[in-house]
mmCIF file of all heavy atoms in Angstrom:
data_model
loop_
_atom_site.group_PDB
_atom_site.id
_atom_site.type_symbol
_atom_site.label_atom_id
_atom_site.label_comp_id
_atom_site.label_asym_id
_atom_site.label_seq_id
_atom_site.Cartn_x
_atom_site.Cartn_y
_atom_site.Cartn_z
ATOM 1 N N ASP A 30 74.474 140.191 86.121
ATOM 2 C CA ASP A 30 73.835 141.495 85.934
ATOM 3 C C ASP A 30 72.804 141.767 87.023
ATOM 4 O O ASP A 30 72.241 140.822 87.607
ATOM 5 C CB ASP A 30 73.140 141.557 84.576
ATOM 6 C CG ASP A 30 74.132 141.535 83.425
ATOM 7 O OD1 ASP A 30 75.307 141.880 83.664
ATOM 8 O OD2 ASP A 30 73.724 141.174 82.302
ATOM 9 N N PRO A 31 72.528 143.037 87.309
ATOM 10 C CA PRO A 31 71.464 143.360 88.267
ATOM 11 C C PRO A 31 70.107 142.869 87.766
ATOM 12 O O PRO A 31 69.898 142.695 86.550
ATOM 13 C CB PRO A 31 71.507 144.893 88.333
ATOM 14 C CG PRO A 31 72.841 145.285 87.781
ATOM 15 C CD PRO A 31 73.205 144.236 86.788
ATOM 16 N N ALA A 32 69.185 142.646 88.695
ATOM 17 C CA ALA A 32 67.838 142.220 88.322
ATOM 18 C C ALA A 32 67.171 143.293 87.471
ATOM 19 O O ALA A 32 67.394 144.495 87.665
ATOM 20 C CB ALA A 32 67.016 141.945 89.572
ATOM 21 N N LEU A 33 66.350 142.861 86.534
ATOM 22 C CA LEU A 33 65.615 143.785 85.682
ATOM 23 C C LEU A 33 64.357 144.275 86.388
ATOM 24 O O LEU A 33 63.788 143.581 87.227
ATOM 25 C CB LEU A 33 65.241 143.104 84.368
ATOM 26 C CG LEU A 33 66.405 142.650 83.486
ATOM 27 C CD1 LEU A 33 65.888 141.838 82.304
ATOM 28 C CD2 LEU A 33 67.212 143.846 83.007
ATOM 29 N N ARG A 34 63.918 145.470 86.013
ATOM 30 C CA ARG A 34 62.669 146.029 86.527
ATOM 31 C C ARG A 34 61.686 146.172 85.372
ATOM 32 O O ARG A 34 61.983 146.821 84.370
ATOM 33 C CB ARG A 34 62.922 147.396 87.185
ATOM 34 C CG ARG A 34 63.861 147.338 88.375
ATOM 35 C CD ARG A 34 63.957 148.697 89.072
ATOM 36 N NE ARG A 34 64.453 149.740 88.184
ATOM 37 C CZ ARG A 34 65.742 149.960 87.936
ATOM 38 N NH1 ARG A 34 66.685 149.181 88.487
ATOM 39 N NH2 ARG A 34 66.106 150.947 87.138
ATOM 40 N N PHE A 35 60.519 145.553 85.520
ATOM 41 C CA PHE A 35 59.472 145.613 84.510
ATOM 42 C C PHE A 35 58.292 146.417 85.048
ATOM 43 O O PHE A 35 57.811 146.148 86.150
ATOM 44 C CB PHE A 35 58.984 144.213 84.128
ATOM 45 C CG PHE A 35 60.011 143.372 83.413
ATOM 46 C CD1 PHE A 35 60.905 142.583 84.125
ATOM 47 C CD2 PHE A 35 60.070 143.373 82.032
ATOM 48 C CE1 PHE A 35 61.849 141.806 83.473
ATOM 49 C CE2 PHE A 35 61.016 142.586 81.359
ATOM 50 C CZ PHE A 35 61.904 141.805 82.090
ATOM 51 N N ASN A 36 57.832 147.377 84.261
ATOM 52 C CA ASN A 36 56.669 148.163 84.659
ATOM 53 C C ASN A 36 55.427 147.273 84.763
ATOM 54 O O ASN A 36 55.353 146.220 84.129
ATOM 55 C CB ASN A 36 56.426 149.282 83.650
ATOM 56 C CG ASN A 36 55.424 150.304 84.124
ATOM 57 O OD1 ASN A 36 54.239 150.207 83.829
ATOM 58 N ND2 ASN A 36 55.897 151.280 84.872
ATOM 59 N N TRP A 37 54.483 147.716 85.574
ATOM 60 C CA TRP A 37 53.199 146.997 85.685
ATOM 61 C C TRP A 37 52.635 146.714 84.297
ATOM 62 O O TRP A 37 52.210 145.607 84.003
ATOM 63 C CB TRP A 37 52.224 147.849 86.498
ATOM 64 C CG TRP A 37 50.840 147.285 86.614
ATOM 65 C CD1 TRP A 37 49.774 147.564 85.817
ATOM 66 C CD2 TRP A 37 50.371 146.342 87.584
ATOM 67 N NE1 TRP A 37 48.670 146.852 86.220
ATOM 68 C CE2 TRP A 37 49.020 146.094 87.307
ATOM 69 C CE3 TRP A 37 50.976 145.692 88.657
ATOM 70 C CZ2 TRP A 37 48.249 145.229 88.078
ATOM 71 C CZ3 TRP A 37 50.206 144.821 89.414
ATOM 72 C CH2 TRP A 37 48.858 144.597 89.117
ATOM 73 N N GLN A 38 52.639 147.731 83.406
ATOM 74 C CA GLN A 38 52.230 147.520 82.016
ATOM 75 C C GLN A 38 53.475 147.628 81.133
ATOM 76 O O GLN A 38 53.799 148.677 80.586
ATOM 77 C CB GLN A 38 51.168 148.530 81.572
ATOM 78 C CG GLN A 38 50.634 148.213 80.209
ATOM 79 C CD GLN A 38 49.656 149.231 79.668
ATOM 80 O OE1 GLN A 38 49.284 149.169 78.500
ATOM 81 N NE2 GLN A 38 49.212 150.173 80.487
ATOM 82 N N THR A 39 54.171 146.530 81.033
ATOM 83 C CA THR A 39 55.424 146.503 80.285
ATOM 84 C C THR A 39 55.153 146.680 78.788
ATOM 85 O O THR A 39 54.333 145.966 78.222
ATOM 86 C CB THR A 39 56.145 145.166 80.530
ATOM 87 O OG1 THR A 39 56.474 145.059 81.914
ATOM 88 C CG2 THR A 39 57.405 145.071 79.699
ATOM 89 N N PRO A 40 55.852 147.615 78.137
ATOM 90 C CA PRO A 40 55.599 147.817 76.705
ATOM 91 C C PRO A 40 56.298 146.776 75.842
ATOM 92 O O PRO A 40 57.437 146.371 76.108
ATOM 93 C CB PRO A 40 56.190 149.208 76.449
ATOM 94 C CG PRO A 40 57.260 149.369 77.477
ATOM 95 C CD PRO A 40 56.789 148.607 78.695
ATOM 96 N N ILE A 41 55.608 146.335 74.798
ATOM 97 C CA ILE A 41 56.170 145.450 73.781
ATOM 98 C C ILE A 41 55.851 146.036 72.414
ATOM 99 O O ILE A 41 54.897 146.808 72.254
ATOM 100 C CB ILE A 41 55.627 144.006 73.881
ATOM 101 C CG1 ILE A 41 54.098 143.980 73.702
ATOM 102 C CG2 ILE A 41 56.027 143.362 75.183
ATOM 103 C CD1 ILE A 41 53.531 142.577 73.571
ATOM 104 N N LEU A 42 56.656 145.669 71.399
ATOM 105 C CA LEU A 42 56.445 146.228 70.062
ATOM 106 C C LEU A 42 57.048 145.295 69.019
ATOM 107 O O LEU A 42 58.228 144.948 69.085
ATOM 108 C CB LEU A 42 57.100 147.607 69.951
ATOM 109 C CG LEU A 42 56.932 148.324 68.618
ATOM 110 C CD1 LEU A 42 55.476 148.712 68.386
ATOM 111 C CD2 LEU A 42 57.834 149.560 68.560
ATOM 112 N N LEU A 43 56.226 144.886 68.044
ATOM 113 C CA LEU A 43 56.728 144.179 66.874
ATOM 114 C C LEU A 43 57.247 145.197 65.868
ATOM 115 O O LEU A 43 56.600 146.211 65.611
ATOM 116 C CB LEU A 43 55.625 143.349 66.220
ATOM 117 C CG LEU A 43 55.377 141.925 66.715
ATOM 118 C CD1 LEU A 43 54.243 141.297 65.912
ATOM 119 C CD2 LEU A 43 56.624 141.070 66.621
ATOM 120 N N SER A 44 58.396 144.912 65.277
ATOM 121 C CA SER A 44 58.960 145.817 64.288
ATOM 122 C C SER A 44 58.084 145.856 63.044
ATOM 123 O O SER A 44 57.647 144.812 62.543
ATOM 124 C CB SER A 44 60.371 145.373 63.908
ATOM 125 O OG SER A 44 60.863 146.141 62.824
ATOM 126 N N SER A 45 57.842 147.067 62.531
ATOM 127 C CA SER A 45 57.094 147.197 61.282
ATOM 128 C C SER A 45 57.953 146.838 60.078
ATOM 129 O O SER A 45 57.437 146.668 58.971
ATOM 130 C CB SER A 45 56.580 148.633 61.132
ATOM 131 O OG SER A 45 57.662 149.562 61.116
ATOM 132 N N HIS A 46 59.270 146.710 60.278
ATOM 133 C CA HIS A 46 60.180 146.371 59.181
ATOM 134 C C HIS A 46 60.373 144.865 59.053
ATOM 135 O O HIS A 46 60.604 144.356 57.950
ATOM 136 C CB HIS A 46 61.535 147.046 59.403
ATOM 137 C CG HIS A 46 61.455 148.528 59.490
ATOM 138 N ND1 HIS A 46 61.421 149.338 58.379
ATOM 139 C CD2 HIS A 46 61.373 149.367 60.570
ATOM 140 C CE1 HIS A 46 61.349 150.603 58.752
ATOM 141 N NE2 HIS A 46 61.313 150.647 60.076
ATOM 142 N N ASN A 47 60.278 144.166 60.181
ATOM 143 C CA ASN A 47 60.449 142.709 60.178
ATOM 144 C C ASN A 47 59.726 142.167 61.407
ATOM 145 O O ASN A 47 60.221 142.319 62.526
ATOM 146 C CB ASN A 47 61.931 142.342 60.212
ATOM 147 C CG ASN A 47 62.173 140.841 60.193
ATOM 148 O OD1 ASN A 47 61.257 140.045 60.386
ATOM 149 N ND2 ASN A 47 63.413 140.444 59.976
ATOM 150 N N PRO A 48 58.587 141.515 61.226
ATOM 151 C CA PRO A 48 57.812 141.062 62.391
ATOM 152 C C PRO A 48 58.424 139.891 63.147
ATOM 153 O O PRO A 48 57.826 139.424 64.118
ATOM 154 C CB PRO A 48 56.449 140.695 61.787
ATOM 155 C CG PRO A 48 56.721 140.449 60.344
ATOM 156 C CD PRO A 48 57.862 141.334 59.964
ATOM 157 N N ASP A 49 59.590 139.404 62.735
ATOM 158 C CA ASP A 49 60.331 138.473 63.581
ATOM 159 C C ASP A 49 61.021 139.214 64.722
ATOM 160 O O ASP A 49 61.449 138.594 65.696
ATOM 161 C CB ASP A 49 61.395 137.725 62.775
ATOM 162 C CG ASP A 49 60.785 136.634 61.901
ATOM 163 O OD1 ASP A 49 59.658 136.192 62.196
ATOM 164 O OD2 ASP A 49 61.441 136.243 60.915
ATOM 165 N N ILE A 50 61.138 140.540 64.584
ATOM 166 C CA ILE A 50 61.834 141.352 65.575
ATOM 167 C C ILE A 50 60.830 141.887 66.589
ATOM 168 O O ILE A 50 59.843 142.532 66.222
ATOM 169 C CB ILE A 50 62.584 142.507 64.899
ATOM 170 C CG1 ILE A 50 63.635 141.953 63.936
ATOM 171 C CG2 ILE A 50 63.234 143.413 65.946
ATOM 172 C CD1 ILE A 50 64.368 143.024 63.144
ATOM 173 N N LEU A 51 61.086 141.605 67.854
ATOM 174 C CA LEU A 51 60.215 142.031 68.945
ATOM 175 C C LEU A 51 61.034 142.837 69.939
ATOM 176 O O LEU A 51 62.135 142.434 70.316
ATOM 177 C CB LEU A 51 59.600 140.812 69.639
ATOM 178 C CG LEU A 51 58.679 141.060 70.831
ATOM 179 C CD1 LEU A 51 57.399 141.772 70.386
ATOM 180 C CD2 LEU A 51 58.337 139.748 71.530
ATOM 181 N N TYR A 52 60.491 143.984 70.355
ATOM 182 C CA TYR A 52 61.117 144.813 71.374
ATOM 183 C C TYR A 52 60.322 144.711 72.678
ATOM 184 O O TYR A 52 59.093 144.572 72.661
ATOM 185 C CB TYR A 52 61.144 146.280 70.942
ATOM 186 C CG TYR A 52 61.919 146.557 69.680
ATOM 187 C CD1 TYR A 52 61.271 146.662 68.446
ATOM 188 C CD2 TYR A 52 63.304 146.730 69.711
ATOM 189 C CE1 TYR A 52 61.979 146.925 67.288
ATOM 190 C CE2 TYR A 52 64.027 147.002 68.548
ATOM 191 C CZ TYR A 52 63.350 147.091 67.337
ATOM 192 O OH TYR A 52 64.052 147.358 66.185
ATOM 193 N N MET A 53 61.036 144.776 73.802
ATOM 194 C CA MET A 53 60.383 144.818 75.104
ATOM 195 C C MET A 53 61.189 145.726 76.025
ATOM 196 O O MET A 53 62.431 145.699 76.021
ATOM 197 C CB MET A 53 60.254 143.417 75.713
ATOM 198 C CG MET A 53 59.519 143.411 77.058
ATOM 199 S SD MET A 53 59.341 141.758 77.815
ATOM 200 C CE MET A 53 58.228 140.972 76.662
ATOM 201 N N GLY A 54 60.476 146.531 76.810
ATOM 202 C CA GLY A 54 61.146 147.454 77.702
ATOM 203 C C GLY A 54 61.085 147.009 79.148
ATOM 204 O O GLY A 54 59.997 146.748 79.678
ATOM 205 N N ALA A 55 62.228 146.918 79.800
ATOM 206 C CA ALA A 55 62.313 146.752 81.255
ATOM 207 C C ALA A 55 62.860 148.087 81.771
ATOM 208 O O ALA A 55 62.273 149.120 81.493
ATOM 209 C CB ALA A 55 63.209 145.581 81.608
ATOM 210 N N ASN A 56 63.927 148.111 82.526
ATOM 211 C CA ASN A 56 64.642 149.361 82.733
ATOM 212 C C ASN A 56 65.692 149.552 81.626
ATOM 213 O O ASN A 56 66.229 150.645 81.452
ATOM 214 C CB ASN A 56 65.308 149.417 84.113
ATOM 215 C CG ASN A 56 66.161 148.192 84.391
ATOM 216 O OD1 ASN A 56 65.697 147.062 84.246
ATOM 217 N ND2 ASN A 56 67.406 148.397 84.790
ATOM 218 N N ARG A 57 65.959 148.481 80.872
ATOM 219 C CA ARG A 57 66.733 148.529 79.640
ATOM 220 C C ARG A 57 65.821 148.087 78.498
ATOM 221 O O ARG A 57 64.831 147.387 78.716
ATOM 222 C CB ARG A 57 67.951 147.608 79.729
ATOM 223 C CG ARG A 57 68.830 147.830 80.940
ATOM 224 C CD ARG A 57 69.922 146.777 81.073
ATOM 225 N NE ARG A 57 70.943 146.930 80.036
ATOM 226 C CZ ARG A 57 71.985 146.109 79.903
ATOM 227 N NH1 ARG A 57 72.125 145.051 80.719
ATOM 228 N NH2 ARG A 57 72.883 146.297 78.957
ATOM 229 N N LEU A 58 66.158 148.509 77.282
ATOM 230 C CA LEU A 58 65.392 148.065 76.123
ATOM 231 C C LEU A 58 66.027 146.805 75.564
ATOM 232 O O LEU A 58 67.246 146.731 75.375
ATOM 233 C CB LEU A 58 65.354 149.148 75.046
ATOM 234 C CG LEU A 58 64.488 148.819 73.816
ATOM 235 C CD1 LEU A 58 63.029 148.645 74.216
ATOM 236 C CD2 LEU A 58 64.623 149.893 72.746
ATOM 237 N N PHE A 59 65.177 145.796 75.302
ATOM 238 C CA PHE A 59 65.632 144.526 74.775
ATOM 239 C C PHE A 59 65.058 144.302 73.382
ATOM 240 O O PHE A 59 63.950 144.764 73.058
ATOM 241 C CB PHE A 59 65.209 143.380 75.693
ATOM 242 C CG PHE A 59 66.013 143.289 76.955
ATOM 243 C CD1 PHE A 59 65.706 144.090 78.044
ATOM 244 C CD2 PHE A 59 67.075 142.407 77.060
ATOM 245 C CE1 PHE A 59 66.446 144.015 79.210
ATOM 246 C CE2 PHE A 59 67.823 142.323 78.221
ATOM 247 C CZ PHE A 59 67.509 143.135 79.304
ATOM 248 N N ARG A 60 65.810 143.538 72.579
ATOM 249 C CA ARG A 60 65.366 143.199 71.228
ATOM 250 C C ARG A 60 65.574 141.715 70.979
ATOM 251 O O ARG A 60 66.613 141.149 71.329
ATOM 252 C CB ARG A 60 66.145 144.006 70.187
ATOM 253 C CG ARG A 60 65.740 143.712 68.728
ATOM 254 C CD ARG A 60 66.537 144.570 67.770
ATOM 255 N NE ARG A 60 67.965 144.307 67.864
ATOM 256 C CZ ARG A 60 68.908 145.173 67.491
ATOM 257 N NH1 ARG A 60 68.572 146.355 67.017
ATOM 258 N NH2 ARG A 60 70.193 144.847 67.609
ATOM 259 N N SER A 61 64.568 141.090 70.391
ATOM 260 C CA SER A 61 64.665 139.699 69.950
ATOM 261 C C SER A 61 64.573 139.664 68.436
ATOM 262 O O SER A 61 63.714 140.320 67.845
ATOM 263 C CB SER A 61 63.535 138.863 70.557
ATOM 264 O OG SER A 61 63.512 137.566 69.973
ATOM 265 N N MET A 62 65.451 138.905 67.806
ATOM 266 C CA MET A 62 65.438 138.756 66.348
ATOM 267 C C MET A 62 64.697 137.502 65.905
ATOM 268 O O MET A 62 64.580 137.247 64.712
ATOM 269 C CB MET A 62 66.876 138.716 65.815
ATOM 270 C CG MET A 62 67.742 139.883 66.256
ATOM 271 S SD MET A 62 67.213 141.472 65.579
ATOM 272 C CE MET A 62 67.837 141.316 63.898
ATOM 273 N N ASP A 63 64.186 136.722 66.886
ATOM 274 C CA ASP A 63 63.588 135.426 66.554
ATOM 275 C C ASP A 63 62.260 135.219 67.282
ATOM 276 O O ASP A 63 62.010 134.171 67.857
ATOM 277 C CB ASP A 63 64.561 134.293 66.873
ATOM 278 C CG ASP A 63 65.110 134.362 68.290
ATOM 279 O OD1 ASP A 63 64.574 135.141 69.103
ATOM 280 O OD2 ASP A 63 66.067 133.624 68.581
ATOM 281 N N GLN A 64 61.413 136.236 67.268
ATOM 282 C CA GLN A 64 60.063 136.150 67.829
ATOM 283 C C GLN A 64 60.059 135.898 69.337
ATOM 284 O O GLN A 64 59.165 135.246 69.866
ATOM 285 C CB GLN A 64 59.251 135.056 67.120
ATOM 286 C CG GLN A 64 59.028 135.309 65.641
ATOM 287 C CD GLN A 64 58.172 134.237 65.001
ATOM 288 O OE1 GLN A 64 58.415 133.040 65.153
ATOM 289 N NE2 GLN A 64 57.153 134.669 64.278
ATOM 290 N N GLY A 65 61.050 136.421 70.025
ATOM 291 C CA GLY A 65 61.050 136.332 71.472
ATOM 292 C C GLY A 65 61.710 135.102 72.052
ATOM 293 O O GLY A 65 61.642 134.889 73.264
ATOM 294 N N VAL A 66 62.357 134.288 71.223
ATOM 295 C CA VAL A 66 63.044 133.100 71.744
ATOM 296 C C VAL A 66 64.306 133.507 72.488
ATOM 297 O O VAL A 66 64.585 133.025 73.588
ATOM 298 C CB VAL A 66 63.367 132.124 70.599
ATOM 299 C CG1 VAL A 66 64.172 130.938 71.128
ATOM 300 C CG2 VAL A 66 62.082 131.635 69.933
ATOM 301 N N SER A 67 65.095 134.396 71.909
ATOM 302 C CA SER A 67 66.326 134.876 72.550
ATOM 303 C C SER A 67 66.326 136.399 72.536
ATOM 304 O O SER A 67 65.680 137.028 71.684
ATOM 305 C CB SER A 67 67.557 134.326 71.824
ATOM 306 O OG SER A 67 67.567 134.729 70.464
ATOM 307 N N TRP A 68 67.064 136.985 73.482
ATOM 308 C CA TRP A 68 67.012 138.433 73.685
ATOM 309 C C TRP A 68 68.407 139.007 73.841
ATOM 310 O O TRP A 68 69.310 138.347 74.359
ATOM 311 C CB TRP A 68 66.204 138.766 74.941
ATOM 312 C CG TRP A 68 64.754 138.429 74.839
ATOM 313 C CD1 TRP A 68 64.166 137.256 75.197
ATOM 314 C CD2 TRP A 68 63.717 139.277 74.341
ATOM 315 N NE1 TRP A 68 62.814 137.321 74.948
ATOM 316 C CE2 TRP A 68 62.509 138.543 74.434
ATOM 317 C CE3 TRP A 68 63.681 140.577 73.848
ATOM 318 C CZ2 TRP A 68 61.288 139.082 74.036
ATOM 319 C CZ3 TRP A 68 62.465 141.119 73.443
ATOM 320 C CH2 TRP A 68 61.283 140.367 73.538
ATOM 321 N N SER A 69 68.540 140.278 73.425
ATOM 322 C CA SER A 69 69.767 141.045 73.649
ATOM 323 C C SER A 69 69.384 142.427 74.156
ATOM 324 O O SER A 69 68.440 143.043 73.641
ATOM 325 C CB SER A 69 70.577 141.195 72.353
ATOM 326 O OG SER A 69 70.985 139.944 71.864
#
């Protein structure tokens, strides 16, 4: 895959429905279901 681009202030967000779920934005939006151990 092409290299990811992360903003200087990259946004992150814990889900209000399940705090094991973490979102992070690069040029694509990523989601982790296990507190940031693995990402999709």
Side-chain angles (χ1 to χ4, degrees):
D30 293 338
L33 297 173
R34 299 186 300 277
F35 293 88
N36 192 266
W37 176 266
Q38 187 184 171
T39 297
I41 60 171
L42 181 67
L43 273 180
S44 172
S45 60
H46 301 277
N47 181 347
D49 284 339
I50 299 176
L51 179 66
Y52 299 97
M53 182 180 293
N56 52 308
R57 307 173 70 182
L58 184 62
F59 285 82
R60 180 179 61 203
S61 171
M62 307 293 283
D63 52 12
Q64 297 183 310
V66 176
S67 59
W68 293 91
S69 298

